[in-house]
Amino acid sequence: MSARRHPPQWAPRPAPGARPRPRHRVLRAVLVVGLAAVLGLVGLAAGGVWWGTNHYGDQVTRIPDSFPTGPRPPRPTGHDGGTTFLLAGVDSRSKRPTTGTGATAQLWRYGAQRSDTLMLVHLSADEDTAYTTSIPRDSWVPIAGHGSAKINAAFSWGGPPLLIRTVEQLTGARVDHFGVIDWHGFRALTDAVGGVPVTVAQNSYDPQQHRHFTAGTQVMNGEEALAYVRQRHGLPGGELDRIKHQQQFLRSLVGEVRGGVKLTDPLGTDKTLDAITSAVSIDDRMSNGDLRDLAFGLRGFDTAGAVFTTAPIVRSEFIHGQYTLILDKQKLRAQWRAAETGDRPGAGR
């Protein structure tokens, strides 16, 4: 089947009943799980969480028709009852924000955006563990209707539904919710929390970005952080080191966001939550009630319970003149099944 010449376009829409808000400048957000954890800190009592998830949840942009039609993977025998999220960072060609209430451009247009970062996250039913697998953007995989290609092309060709279908067919996971973010807001959220501390392992130079990175712990602002998580040139591990940077930064960012939400600092809290809701877009199946349930469960979540891994790689290979990564699909499926059933591998702790 060939690609449609005039595919449908995904335009973010606010949740039903949401009040119109003035559009902000370039903004972005942390993971959907991080959003729920932050919302859980709005109040110490049930009433506070109820108010926070409704007030801020109403402002989170929902993506209509995110999920593919047709058969979906079944949940494995022994599934722990947890929730699986697919989280995408979009490398948009748009100069304007494409995600969240700050978006002034469409989330997806055929051929205009590719997924730059992909993380599959399983939150256990007891919400004590978040198991995250990063899927490299150069992974060579089957894409329904298009043969095989790099996985980041799935979003470019078919938006959220084709990306979700591609990841489900690759991993065997059943995606419950989808969240997407762009680089515009990444900078803004990092700046909104006052910068994020990052320990750079070694001196390096990225010839593509024309940037030097100095070893040691430093607080990065939005522009510096964006360059850090995008770097893959000048690193011994290339794309794999880039993924390590992203996971490292995410862990630190979530800690900073949590620390920025305090009952004793309502202005700072509002600024942080406003930056999040202004930049993240989620599927329209995720209700405020779902956010509230996450908020209750994640109030005491410790980032020590976050396990990060990368999809297992067999080798790198040039295909049609492109640098690609060949994944161990069988091992990846086994690892993800273990994560969903509670027998979680400890790699990456």
Side-chain angles (χ1 to χ4, degrees), residues 208-275:
Q208 184 170 349
Q209 299 188 85
H210 306 291
R211 279 184 176 267
H212 290 274
F213 296 90
T214 304
T217 300
Q218 51 204 271
V219 177
M220 293 186 177
N221 62 27
E223 197 66 37
E224 295 165 338
L226 180 58
Y228 181 73
V229 300
R230 297 186 72 179
Q231 183 193 13
R232 61 175 175 167
H233 298 277
L235 295 174
E239 175 69 12
L240 299 185
D241 280 346
R242 187 177 85 110
I243 288 174
K244 291 178 182 178
H245 284 188
Q246 293 170 351
Q247 294 175 345
Q248 173 199 22
F249 184 84
L250 176 62
R251 189 189 294 268
S252 185
L253 175 60
V254 170
E256 291 300 306
V257 170
R258 287 168 60 89
V261 180
K262 302 174 183 177
L263 291 177
T264 56
D265 183 12
L267 293 179
T269 294
D270 185 69
K271 179 182 178 182
T272 302
L273 294 181
D274 185 63

Side-chain angles (χ1 to χ4, degrees), residues 155-228:
F155 187 87
S156 178
W157 288 334
L162 185 57
L163 178 61
I164 292 173
R165 182 178 297 281
T166 300
V167 171
E168 288 186 336
Q169 290 178 344
L170 173 67
T171 63
R174 174 68 174 263
V175 174
D176 298 303
H177 292 296
F178 174 71
V180 61
I181 51 187
D182 68 16
W183 295 129
H184 292 290
F186 180 90
R187 291 191 293 260
L189 181 61
T190 302
D191 290 336
V193 298
V196 174
V198 175
T199 300
V200 179
Q202 60 186 9
N203 294 334
S204 65
Y205 174 71
D206 184 340
Q208 184 170 349
Q209 299 188 85
H210 306 291
R211 279 184 176 267
H212 290 274
F213 296 90
T214 304
T217 300
Q218 51 204 271
V219 177
M220 293 186 177
N221 62 27
E223 197 66 37
E224 295 165 338
L226 180 58
Y228 181 73

Side-chain angles (χ1 to χ4, degrees), residues 14-15 17-25 27 54-61 100-104 269-280:
R19 292 178 296 177
R21 301 184 50 191
R23 295 196 182 277
H24 295 273
R25 297 186 304 120
L27 293 170
N54 274 301
H55 177 75
Y56 289 101
D58 282 346
Q59 298 172 12
V60 178
T61 299
T101 58
T104 57
T269 294
D270 185 69
K271 179 182 178 182
T272 302
L273 294 181
D274 185 63
I276 294 172
T277 58
S278 294
V280 66

Side-chain angles (χ1 to χ4, degrees), residues 133 170-171 311-312 327-336:
T133 293
L170 173 67
T171 63
L327 303 183
D328 187 332
K329 183 176 178 179
Q330 184 175 0
K331 185 175 180 181
L332 172 59
R333 283 175 164 250
Q335 285 182 349
W336 193 255

Side-chain angles (χ1 to χ4, degrees), residues 310-321:
T310 301
I313 297 168
V314 177
R315 65 184 182 277
S316 62
E317 186 175 324
F318 277 89
I319 302 177
H320 306 315

